[in-house]
Amino acid sequence: MQMPTRPRISQMNIWKCENERHQCGKMVEHNATIPRCRAYMRDDKNVTERKTTYLTWHRIIKNAECNVKAATTYARPQNCIRDGKLVDSASSAEPYIAISYVWDTRPSFKEWEGRRVTEQALHIADRLSKHTSYALWIDAICIDQDNEPVKMVELAKMADIYRGATAVLCLVPEIDQTTSRVVEHGTGMIDLDGFRALEHAGDTHGMYMFASQGSDKALHKLFSSRWWTRAWTFQEAVLNRVTFLVGENEETIPISDVLKISHPISRRAATQKKDNLLGQLSSFWDSVYSMSDAMKVYMPLGTAISSVWRRQSTVAHDMAYSLLGVCRLETIIPDYRLPVEKVFTDLVDKASSKGDFSWLRWSHLIDRDATCEGMSMVPVPATVLATPASAITEWRSIEVPQMSVVRGGAAGVCIPHRSTGVIRWQSQPEDIKGIINMLQKLSYGPEDIWNLLFGMHVGLACDVDRAVGGSGLAQALINLATGYIDGTIKLEDSEDDLVGEKPYTRGYGFTAYASMAAKVWRNAQLVMMRSQGGTTVVPTHSGTGQARLHRLPVESHRGTCLCLVVHDSTKFRASAIGVMVENDHAGSGSWQFTRFS
């Protein structure tokens, strides 16, 4: 089927250009400066002339039938539905299609083949079965919702059920033919020279416009779907490479293409001052784009948390159970009788036992004065959800030796750490400007100051340099951030987007990261703490008496590490977490293993 031809004037209108009166801004391509709209129109013409369109899911599966084999390496579901009847799938090698969808907010149940099922699920089965002879796996039908032991067994197999399916269909009713055309057009634009030139320059606004057709309303509608907001749909959509988003009339989009265009959208959302793009906050786009990472073999728990915990679930336990598959933590058996605090503690403990300490990057957000016993180090969804966007620095786990001796109490989570010595000096509480002045007087350089204050919330200075194509930007970042805080500097949106006569300049995009930093400590009181091994800056806390600074088993690609503040009076309960700037030639003690409550 041929794609309809779009009038050329519409491509000028997304930039608000008329004839040669350009409002689109300039870009550099092949060493020449040209208007953004000119490169856009050229690439749009190339994409449109391809005259391609997506096939429907059932045609794709039918065309591949000769290559379809039932997966034998994954646990199989107990039941599937085929031809309107419940069939035994556990003892069969029959291929099946797994369905991802969002339950009605007030589901209607009916008796069907000896169990209660939702009318919504039966309607889905009836609709999809008209297009395929394959068995279908739909949770509200194929899991007996009133048989708790069987339900727990099937939930434990959930990741394998989606991995082993012939295909996964994600039902998103907001998708229509226009949505399909816009997504296909965006992925085509991303593959051409214009977008590559914008990406090379770090031009987040230009990249966003090329990928989204200038904030096309169809994308607004697509991403407004409830399907994107549910915790379980994250895992369901990323565990199988043959996964499609499907509209009510079987319109079909490969999810890989949707995630492809979400990359420039998420980058624009994170760097613009107004926290709303296509009707969604930057935290939403953070979650969507990170689905691309989840399609890899394994996703660190810290990365999964930043994605899934910006979504929602009806039952709090599902915020943990819905990410077991992407993190390869399926040895945890779902148990909804457990206190939710126990569920989250078990989650991070199991990850740690496998050498994954990436979740510690979120522990700095915990209000330790308000947490219950055993939770001073355990992040929970509410703290992550309240964070606008993830820091751009990737924190990785350090391999630590096996240790049999565990100190600490009965409750909490076990964490390896190395002491860098007692706190030899601690400042009085100061606001952000006071702390910056203090660090400068003590001869800390701009990169160290930025890292101490904003490394965990925004990203380390070297990573901001890399993201915007600049170098040595730390002092400018600090100056802008403090200017935003005290109101002496205001940056207009037009300057942020560089829509004007000058082309987008590599290295200029750091202004957005400064505006992100300005929101971090606006009303906070901070303290600087120094040990023999290094320095950290953390929020004021209730710890009293002598304290120690411990290195945690998490570091950046350049070796900057996270550290833990522990007071001797409460030595098995964490007081604070921060970035540590290590002293030259200062060592640290041997690894210890402590259960922090």
Side-chain angles (χ1 to χ4, degrees):
M1 182 175 69
Q2 180 175 330
M3 292 175 63
T5 302
R6 289 180 289 278
R8 304 259 53 82
I9 188 65
S10 67
Q11 308 314 328
M12 295 292 282
N13 284 344
I14 72 167
W15 300 99
K16 298 183 173 61
C17 299
E18 295 181 14
N19 298 321
E20 289 301 312
R21 293 196 297 273
H22 294 287
Q23 301 183 54
C24 58
K26 301 290 182 70
M27 61 182 285
V28 176
E29 185 182 66
H30 305 307
N31 297 319
T33 299
I34 60 174
R36 282 170 170 157
C37 71
R38 189 170 296 165
Y40 183 94
M41 291 182 67
R42 177 201 65 213
D43 290 352
D44 168 72
K45 184 173 184 291
N46 289 335
V47 171
T48 303
E49 287 178 349
R50 293 175 183 174
K51 300 178 180 179
T52 59
T53 190
Y54 292 128
L55 297 176
T56 57
W57 63 269
H58 46 87
R59 285 186 62 186
I60 295 171
I61 293 173
K62 185 173 180 61
N63 291 345
E65 272 186 352
C66 59
N67 298 317
V68 172
K69 295 180 181 178
T72 57
T73 56
Y74 304 116
R76 290 183 59 83
Q78 182 66 40
N79 297 119
C80 284
I81 180 172
R82 180 170 31 81
D83 298 329
K85 296 180 180 179
L86 201 66
V87 295
D88 178 10
S89 183
S91 58
S92 167
E94 179 184 12
Y96 62 92
I97 297 171
I99 311 303
S100 171
Y101 67 106
V102 177
W103 282 41
D104 287 339
T105 52
R106 295 183 178 179
S108 298
F109 288 86
K110 65 179 293 184
E111 287 294 322
W112 180 85
E113 297 221 357
R115 61 179 61 179
R116 277 195 325 133
V117 302
T118 67
E119 294 186 3
Q120 176 196 17
L122 289 173
H123 172 74
I124 290 171
D126 180 62
R127 169 193 139 193
L128 298 179
S129 294
K130 294 176 181 176
H131 303 284
T132 183
S133 59
Y134 280 93
L136 305 174
W137 186 85
I138 305 172
D139 61 351
I141 294 174
C142 302
I143 299 177
D144 189 343
Q145 302 296 314
D146 296 323
N147 189 328
E148 204 64 22
V150 169
K151 186 176 179 180
M152 293 305 102
V153 170
E154 293 301 288
L155 284 176
K157 296 190 293 186
M158 193 71 80
D160 269 3
I161 290 172
Y162 282 91
R163 286 192 188 105
T166 296
V168 174
L169 306 184
C170 305
L171 306 187
V172 182
E174 288 79 4
I175 289 176
D176 55 22
Q177 289 185 357
T178 301
T179 314
S180 298
R181 288 196 296 269
V182 170
V183 172
E184 187 168 20
H185 180 275
T187 57
M189 295 290 284
I190 286 174
D191 291 333
L192 298 179
D193 288 347
F195 184 90
R196 292 194 188 109
L198 295 166
E199 188 172 35
H200 177 72
D203 185 347
T204 57
H205 176 66
M207 291 162 60
Y208 165 70
M209 293 290 283
F210 271 55
S212 70
Q213 288 188 264
S215 303
D216 193 282
K217 291 180 180 179
L219 296 181
H220 192 292
K221 183 179 177 183
L222 167 63
F223 290 110
S224 69
S225 175
R226 285 179 60 231
W227 183 87
W228 297 101
T229 68
R230 307 304 295 174
W232 279 107
T233 58
F234 184 97
Q235 173 178 268
E236 294 163 3
V238 301
L239 295 177
N240 193 309
R241 293 191 179 277
V242 187
T243 298
F244 307 102
L245 301 186
V246 178
E248 288 193 317
N249 294 311
E250 315 314 323
E251 302 91 346
T252 302
I253 307 174
I255 194 167
S256 56
D257 282 4
V258 177
L259 298 183
K260 190 174 182 179
I261 68 167
S262 76
H263 179 217
I265 297 173
S266 67
R267 286 187 63 181
R268 184 67 189 125
T271 55
Q272 70 169 15
K273 294 198 303 301
K274 295 178 181 178
D275 194 14
N276 187 298
L277 193 62
L278 292 174
Q280 302 292 346
L281 301 179
S282 59
S283 58
F284 170 89
W285 295 111
D286 217 30
S287 174
V288 171
Y289 177 60
S290 61
M291 293 172 79
S292 301
D293 293 329
M295 286 183 160
K296 300 172 184 176
V297 175
Y298 159 77
M299 192 177 201
L301 180 58
T303 307
I305 281 174
S306 68
S307 308
V308 177
W309 288 6
R310 289 202 168 100
R311 296 176 174 230
Q312 303 165 5
S313 66
T314 304
V315 181
H317 296 61
D318 284 336
M319 297 303 280
Y321 297 149
S322 62
L323 48 72
L324 299 182
V326 293
C327 298
R328 296 288 182 171
L329 298 174
E330 291 121 313
T331 54
I332 295 177
I333 304 301
D335 186 347
Y336 291 84
R337 299 166 299 179
L338 293 174
V340 70
E341 294 82 7
K342 171 68 172 168
V343 172
F344 293 128
T345 301
D346 288 348
L347 177 71
V348 297
D349 231 357
K350 177 61 70 174
S352 298
S353 71
K354 299 180 69 173
D356 179 7
F357 305 104
S358 60
W359 56 271
L360 284 166
R361 62 181 278 205
W362 292 107
S363 296
H364 72 286
L365 298 171
I366 297 169
D367 182 356
R368 289 170 174 80
D369 295 334
T371 57
C372 61
E373 185 69 15
M375 297 292 287
S376 72
M377 291 294 290
V378 181
V380 295
T383 55
V384 176
L385 185 61
T387 307
S390 298
I392 60 173
T393 294
E394 181 180 347
W395 298 97
R396 60 190 183 190
S397 302
I398 300 172
E399 187 175 349
V400 297
Q402 292 290 328
M403 290 168 283
S404 57
V405 178
V406 180
R407 308 183 310 157
V413 58
C414 296
I415 300 171
H417 56 95
R418 300 174 70 179
S419 175
T420 68
V422 298
I423 300 298
R424 296 181 170 184
W425 180 83
Q426 176 176 327
S427 73
Q428 293 297 314
E430 297 275 1
D431 62 15
I432 183 67
K433 293 194 71 174
I435 287 289
I436 290 174
N437 290 335
M438 184 184 303
L439 290 165
Q440 289 171 337
K441 289 178 181 177
L442 292 170
S443 300
Y444 285 86
E447 185 166 315
D448 286 342
I449 294 173
W450 174 270
N451 291 344
L452 285 167
L453 297 173
F454 308 114
M456 291 190 70
H457 298 80
V458 180
L460 298 175
C462 62
D463 293 320
V464 176
D465 282 350
R466 186 172 52 184
V468 302
S471 62
L473 298 173
Q475 188 60 60
L477 284 164
I478 293 169
N479 293 342
L480 273 175
T482 53
Y484 291 149
I485 291 170
D486 60 25
T488 57
I489 298 177
K490 293 183 179 179
L491 187 69
E492 298 297 325
D493 286 333
S494 60
E495 294 178 52
D496 185 30
D497 294 345
L498 276 177
V499 179
E501 290 303 311
K502 295 181 180 180
Y504 189 94
T505 305
R506 267 178 82 76
Y508 187 86
F510 74 88
T511 56
Y513 294 100
S515 64
M516 290 169 64
K519 303 171 187 176
V520 175
W521 302 122
R522 191 180 293 273
N523 299 311
Q525 292 286 295
L526 307 173
V527 292
M528 175 183 172
M529 308 179 83
R530 303 174 76 179
S531 71
Q532 177 183 344
T535 302
T536 192
V537 174
V538 294
T540 54
H541 46 269
S542 60
T544 57
Q546 190 174 65
R548 298 174 189 271
L549 203 58
H550 296 272
R551 180 174 180 149
L552 290 169
V554 182
E555 66 179 14
S556 71
H557 70 286
R558 287 197 177 181
T560 300
C561 69
L562 302 185
C563 64
L564 179 67
V565 177
V566 181
H567 285 79
D568 287 354
S569 58
T570 52
K571 61 182 178 180
F572 300 137
R573 186 173 176 84
S575 294
I577 288 181
V579 169
M580 185 167 75
V581 171
E582 296 181 85
N583 295 334
D584 292 337
H585 311 299
S588 53
S590 58
W591 285 104
Q592 302 177 62
F593 207 36
T594 301
R595 187 182 300 278
F596 287 102
S597 63

